[in-house]
Amino acid sequence: MRPPLTYGLTFLTAVMSTCMLVACGKPPGGPPPAAGTPEVGVVTVQPQRVAITTELPGRTVPFLIADVRPQVGGIVKTRQFREGSDVKAGEALYQIDPATYKATYDSNLAALAKAQASLVTTRLKAERYKELVAIKAVSQQDYDDAAASLQQGEADVASAKANVETSRINLAYARIDAPISGRIGKSSVTPGALVTASQSTALATIQQLNPIYVDVTQPSAAMLQLKQAMARGDLQKSGANAAKVRLLLEDGSTYPLEGKLEFSDVTVDQNTGAITLRAVFPNPDADLLPGMYVRAVLQEGVKDQALMVPQQAVSRDGAGKPVAYVVDAQHKLQRRALETERAIGDQWLVRSGLKAGDQLVVDGQQRAAPGVEVKTVQWNPKSGPGTETAKAAPSEPAGAAN
């Protein structure tokens, strides 16, 4: 009987011999199949006419704004408007107690009548003395005194008329009218309050909301770049469309009505280095209220031979520079360093690195490397490779793809 150690060595020797035979021989079924040619989704780069726009932050500003203040003092008797309503220019807003102003007006009317009556007798006396001095019936001094009295009487009448007009104006100011048409805000006083002329606190504020201004700011450096691009011929003026502006509201929605650019300020703010642009928008339903934060989309110009590529076709190298892959005539990948200008929607506007007719790799960059031979298929942004997976990934359980 053999010892257990002898049996163990014999078994180990047999196993090692079998492994060596398998390693030296050919595996069952022949050699492994060669790896397939990678497939990538591509688009053909084509130049196109693109409107270059810029998105700038801004605030809405009333087209007209006026503070309502009293021009005479007194007790407010009535308020004749509803807060938050629309008022017309000339419409009565407040009524100040007019009693004292009415009394002053009546007194000045009486003073005017007295001065006019006195003037009649003075004029008749001066006319008689003029005839008498001609025949030496009165002295020259008496005639001169009568003529001077006539001039003084005429001056008294003119002064009385001015007093009447002043008191009439003050009486009219007792009724406070709307200086402009628009929407009136809350009232700072109620009936019974005492107001004074030229007080610092406004009784109410009226703002015209249709149309409405939108003031936006743009860095002066961006303005210089735009002028340089047009000077180089990279951009062309877009004619009448250059003044059109679209508006994005705070909730991300687009304002349905289009505005136009009114003017560009000529002074650069020393603190921010920006200039102010003002656009005007129709606002028939008062959807835009003063002080709202908005983003204005201004059309700067038109680029005729613009190269637009999907953003997902562009990646970044280790230095953060934009790169992309193209397929050459031998169906091999080439890596291109790009220079991009700006993002327009979901695409990049490419300044250099690509040319018309290039087959740009949009899907499959994960397996891409320079010199690799690939098979190309036309990429479809709606049903291209990776689109459905990206949509379904958040709802699939882990391992579902396997």
Side-chain angles (χ1 to χ4, degrees):
M1 184 176 182
R2 295 181 180 179
L5 181 59
T6 304
Y7 283 109
L9 290 174
T10 304
F11 177 75
L12 181 59
T13 302
V15 171
M16 291 177 64
S17 300
T18 304
C19 291
M20 290 176 64
L21 290 173
V22 172
C24 294
K26 296 182 180 179
T37 303
E39 184 178 275
V40 293
V42 299
V43 293
T44 303
V45 178
Q46 295 291 349
Q48 54 186 297
R49 184 181 176 88
V50 176
I52 304 301
T53 60
T54 184
E55 190 174 304
L56 301 174
R59 294 277 180 184
T60 53
V61 180
F63 189 79
L64 292 176
I65 183 170
D67 289 335
V68 179
R69 286 187 171 88
Q71 294 179 277
V72 295
I75 301 297
V76 177
K77 291 186 66 176
T78 58
R79 189 191 76 191
Q80 302 175 5
F81 67 92
R82 183 171 57 87
E83 294 172 316
S85 63
D86 291 328
V87 296
K88 299 292 185 181
E91 181 179 336
L93 302 178
Y94 298 92
Q95 179 63 56
I96 297 176
D97 188 358
T100 58
Y101 301 105
K102 180 66 166 60
T104 302
Y105 176 67
D106 292 340
S107 175
N108 288 332
L109 278 178
L112 174 60
K114 180 179 179 181
Q116 289 173 334
S118 177
L119 179 62
V120 172
T121 59
T122 304
R123 180 177 288 112
L124 291 174
K125 182 178 180 180
E127 289 174 352
R128 283 197 305 270
Y129 274 37
K130 183 177 181 180
E131 295 175 356
L132 294 175
V133 75
I135 61 175
K136 306 296 183 179
V138 296
S139 66
Q140 184 67 36
Q141 183 64 47
D142 290 339
Y143 171 70
D144 292 341
D145 290 343
S149 297
L150 175 60
Q151 292 179 353
Q152 183 176 352
E154 292 173 344
D156 290 342
V157 170
S159 177
K161 287 182 178 179
N163 291 335
V164 169
E165 182 64 15
T166 300
S167 58
R168 185 196 65 79
I169 292 173
N170 288 336
L171 179 60
Y173 281 161
R175 166 179 152 160
I176 303 176
D177 297 334
I180 62 172
S181 299
R183 182 161 298 181
I184 192 167
K186 66 178 182 179
S187 174
S188 62
V189 298
T190 59
L194 174 64
V195 296
T196 58
S198 304
Q199 66 181 36
S200 59
T201 303
L203 304 182
T205 301
I206 302 175
Q207 302 178 89
Q208 182 176 334
L209 305 181
N210 184 31
I212 194 169
Y213 285 131
V214 174
D215 287 350
V216 298
T217 55
Q218 182 180 39
S220 57
M223 181 68 72
L224 291 175
Q225 292 175 0
L226 175 61
K227 291 182 178 179
Q228 292 169 1
M230 288 187 174
R232 293 193 305 265
D234 295 342
L235 287 180
Q236 297 179 0
K237 291 183 179 180
S238 50
N241 295 329
K244 294 184 178 179
V245 187
R246 293 183 293 110
L247 211 58
L248 302 178
L249 304 180
E250 290 178 296
D251 60 357
S253 62
T254 301
Y255 186 64
L257 302 178
E258 194 175 60
K260 62 179 181 179
L261 191 64
E262 283 283 289
F263 79 96
S264 173
D265 204 351
V266 295
T267 304
V268 178
D269 191 313
Q270 296 181 0
N271 297 321
T272 62
I275 60 176
T276 299
L277 308 176
R278 169 165 283 185
V280 61
F281 282 81
N283 190 27
D285 299 325
D287 294 328
L288 301 177
L289 300 178
M292 287 179 61
Y293 174 80
V294 295
R295 298 191 68 83
V297 181
L298 286 75
Q299 185 168 330
E300 295 179 341
V302 174
K303 193 176 182 69
D304 279 331
Q305 299 295 318
L307 297 181
M308 303 291 296
V309 300
Q311 289 189 3
Q312 67 189 83
V314 181
S315 58
R316 300 282 173 174
D317 60 11
K321 302 293 182 64
V323 295
Y325 283 95
V326 297
V327 181
D328 61 16
Q330 288 74 36
H331 295 281
K332 293 184 178 181
L333 294 179
Q334 292 183 2
R335 189 181 184 185
R336 298 276 184 88
L338 306 182
E339 185 179 358
T340 58
E341 291 188 19
R342 64 175 71 192
I344 301 178
D346 60 351
Q347 295 183 311
W348 284 112
L349 174 59
V350 177
R351 178 180 297 174
S352 64
L354 294 175
K355 62 181 183 297
D358 281 344
Q359 296 289 315
L360 178 68
V361 177
V362 181
D363 187 77
Q365 302 97 320
Q366 299 84 356
R367 303 179 299 274
V372 174
E373 185 175 352
V374 294
K375 177 183 177 182
T376 61
V377 295
Q378 192 66 27
W379 179 74
N380 188 328
K382 294 183 179 180
S383 60
T387 303
E388 297 300 327
T389 304
K391 291 181 179 179
S395 60
E396 289 181 352
N402 297 328

